[in-house]
Structures are given as C-alpha cells and as structure tokens.
C-alpha cells in the first residue's frame, strides 16, 4: 500500500463523523444498527424476488412482485452503502487490510453487476415463463448476496 493511500485513509479516519463514532458508543451503535437494518431490507427483497424467479410463490406474478421489491432492495443498498462508508471511516486502514472486508466489497460488486445485467433483460418481468438465464442469474444472486453477508460478519473475527 502506498504511503499516499495510507495518508488518505488516515485523514479519512479524522473526519468529524468518524471521530464522533469513536468517541460516542451510542453513535456507533446507531450507525451499525441502521447498517444492519439496511442489509436486511436489501437481502429480504432480493431473496424474495430471486426465489420467485426460481419458481417459488408462483401465485404471485413476477411483474407484480418485482417493482416494489426492486425499490426496497435499492433503498436497502443505498442506505447500506452510506452507513457502510460511515462505519468504514472509523478504522479505514484496518478494514483495507482485512481480507473479509475486501471479499465483502468484491461480492457486493458482483451482486450489483449481476442485478444490473438481470435488470437489462426486462423480459423476465413480463413473460409468463421466466427464462433459464434469469433463473441462473437468480441463483447467482442468492449465492453472492448470502456470501456477502457471511463475509460482512467475518470482518469482526479477523
């Protein structure tokens, strides 16, 4: 890691919000709780939609479930990214050197990329039969997001 990058990270750790989180445990607790709730929104919506695409809950048309679930997932990821960044600033150098944190970031990028590819194929939302490609994407999504949660929990143990 270059010294300039380390200096940038150390400067980030002196950001007033990071200082506040380190100084007041209740502030860190609240930020962490909002992060966990946000991840819950994201995972709950994604798992529900992925399971429907995979063939469960057939009584609910995909085109009826997808719009609200996508909105909930988007809200969850936006809040999780904001709170995740805030939590990252508390110990940025330690997190950048944590393999579980790096794995979590890679899995999130993979999950977002998969979601973007699936969203570009809009036909799965409106057709009565979900394509095999959409089912593969849903299976990848389930796997990647569950692994991202596991990696997130693993961070504290390294």
């Amino acid at each position: 890691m270059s010294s300039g990058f380390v200096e940038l990270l150390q400067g980030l750790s002196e950001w007033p919000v990071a200082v506040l989180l380190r100084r007041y445990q209740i502030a860190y607790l609240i930020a962490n709780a909002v992060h966990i709730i946000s991840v819950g929104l994201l995972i709950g919506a994604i798992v529900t939609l992925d399971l429907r695409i995979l063939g469960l809950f057939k009584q609910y048309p995909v085109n009826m479930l997808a719009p609200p679930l996508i909105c909930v997932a988007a809200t969850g990821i936006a809040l999780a990214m904001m709170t995740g960044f805030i939590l990252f600033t508390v110990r940025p150098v330690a997190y950048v050197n944590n393999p579980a944190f790096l794995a979590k970031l890679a899995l999130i990028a993979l999950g977002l990329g998969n979601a973007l590819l699936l969203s570009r194929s809009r036909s799965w939302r409106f057709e009565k039969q979900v394509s095999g490609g959409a089912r593969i994407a849903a299976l990848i999504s389930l796997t990647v997001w569950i692994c991202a949660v596991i990696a997130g929990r693993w961070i504290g143990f390294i």
Side-chain angles (χ1 to χ4, degrees):
M1 210 175 341
S2 75
S3 62
F5 185 62
V6 172
E7 286 177 24
L8 175 72
L9 292 175
Q10 288 171 335
L12 187 58
S13 72
E14 296 307 316
W15 182 44
V17 174
V19 172
L20 178 101
L21 291 175
R22 281 193 304 274
R23 186 171 295 151
Y24 300 103
Q25 288 181 338
I26 189 74
Y28 186 89
L29 172 85
I30 291 168
N32 197 28
V34 173
H35 187 67
I36 291 168
I37 291 165
S38 302
V39 171
L41 286 173
L42 169 67
I43 298 300
I46 286 175
V47 167
T48 303
L49 184 55
D50 286 342
L51 291 176
R52 175 56 193 94
I53 292 169
L54 288 169
L56 275 71
F57 318 123
K58 287 186 179 191
Q59 68 272 30
Y60 303 104
V62 175
N63 65 340
M64 298 297 285
L65 280 177
L69 290 175
I70 290 168
C71 286
V72 170
T75 301
I77 193 70
L79 288 171
M81 290 173 81
M82 285 188 290
T83 55
F85 175 76
I86 288 168
L87 293 169
F88 171 78
T89 64
V90 173
R91 296 179 31 221
V93 175
Y95 285 127
V96 166
N97 289 303
N98 186 314
F101 176 76
L102 299 175
K104 178 183 174 181
L105 291 183
L107 288 161
I108 290 168
L110 187 59
L112 288 173
N114 185 60
L116 288 173
L117 285 174
L118 184 59
S119 72
R120 294 181 69 89
S121 170
R122 297 189 184 275
S123 63
W124 63 270
R125 291 191 205 174
F126 306 108
E127 294 179 10
K128 292 188 188 239
Q129 286 286 66
V130 175
S131 72
R135 289 192 176 156
I136 291 169
L139 191 56
I140 290 168
S141 174
L142 276 173
T143 304
V144 166
W145 289 110
I146 290 169
C147 288
V149 169
I150 291 168
R153 297 306 311 140
W154 183 32
I155 292 169
F157 295 96
I158 293 182

